[in-house]
Amino acid sequence: MKKLVCALSFLLFAACSDGDLQIETIDFDSVAVDNCGDLNDEITTLFKINGDEALILTLQSGVLQKGIVGDTVVTTVSTIPGQSKLVYRIFSENVSNNYFCDEIPPVSPVVTEEIDAEDGMVIIETTVNADSTAFDHVIKLSEITLVNDAGERITDLTINDFGEISTPIDN
């Protein structure tokens, strides 16, 4: 009887699976936000690269052009995935900004996993810089939900502060 209980216990523990979730944390806090050239009224794509991982934020059209000259802080909210898009990618090896900025992307590295955010918000706080020559935008992410193909939610998302960028004030 003892052998049967031990065998059943072993089978029970062996049958339990923690899933194929390979991503335990997403941490881009120490990585600066980057882009490819001019930020404009059309599609604005920002990205953060951390070795073989990238976090790509595509903002809705015109969202960075909503500043007011003066001491006013303008807060703009853009929903994910409706208005803006957030994608987390894992590559086969370290990736550089050339992957995103070259007219023809390099063949290597290869995307091994891509996860779109299914829910969340982009919050942009816009102020005028000290020289009154540019709008400074502080970009924050809130309530981001990333779910992989297996339906597993990625927890411990430490990507609330996406970064800061500046756009020129049109005269």
Side-chain angles (χ1 to χ4, degrees):
M1 182 71 167
K2 268 186 175 176
K3 289 181 182 180
L4 181 61
V5 170
C6 287
L8 287 174
S9 296
F10 175 75
L11 286 175
L12 178 65
F13 288 115
C16 292
S17 170
D18 62 357
D20 293 325
L21 185 61
Q22 298 173 355
I23 306 160
E24 293 179 10
T25 62
I26 296 177
D27 186 1
F28 286 87
D29 284 347
S30 62
V31 181
V33 65
D34 203 353
N35 66 66
C36 299
D38 297 331
L39 300 173
N40 55 42
D41 284 338
E42 300 304 316
I43 295 173
T44 301
T45 301
L46 307 170
F47 53 91
K48 296 177 95 170
I49 298 172
N50 190 5
D52 65 348
E53 302 173 293
L55 194 61
I56 305 133
L57 177 63
T58 304
L59 296 172
Q60 75 184 82
S61 179
V63 74
L64 292 179
Q65 305 303 322
K66 298 188 179 199
I68 298 174
V69 177
D71 293 333
T72 306
V73 175
V74 175
T75 302
T76 306
V77 177
S78 180
T79 60
I80 294 175
Q83 298 167 320
S84 293
K85 181 178 181 178
L86 183 70
V87 177
Y88 172 67
R89 284 187 188 157
I90 301 175
F91 293 88
S92 59
E93 57 190 80
N94 286 353
V95 66
S96 71
N97 67 351
N98 293 343
Y99 179 87
F100 298 100
C101 297
D102 285 354
E103 198 169 307
I104 299 173
V107 177
S108 178
V110 177
V111 176
T112 60
E113 187 166 3
E114 180 171 299
I115 302 170
D116 292 338
E118 292 186 352
D119 195 15
M121 293 181 292
V122 179
I123 302 166
I124 303 169
E125 295 176 351
T126 302
T127 57
V128 176
N129 70 0
D131 300 338
S132 296
T133 58
F135 291 117
D136 293 333
H137 310 278
V138 176
I139 302 170
K140 298 180 181 184
L141 304 175
S142 178
E143 301 175 19
I144 300 299
T145 301
L146 294 169
V147 180
N148 67 11
D149 290 339
E152 298 163 321
R153 184 179 190 279
I154 299 174
T155 57
D156 193 17
L157 298 176
T158 56
I159 52 175
N160 293 329
D161 293 325
F162 191 78
E164 296 182 31
I165 58 169
S166 294
T167 56
I169 295 176
D170 295 330
N171 292 327

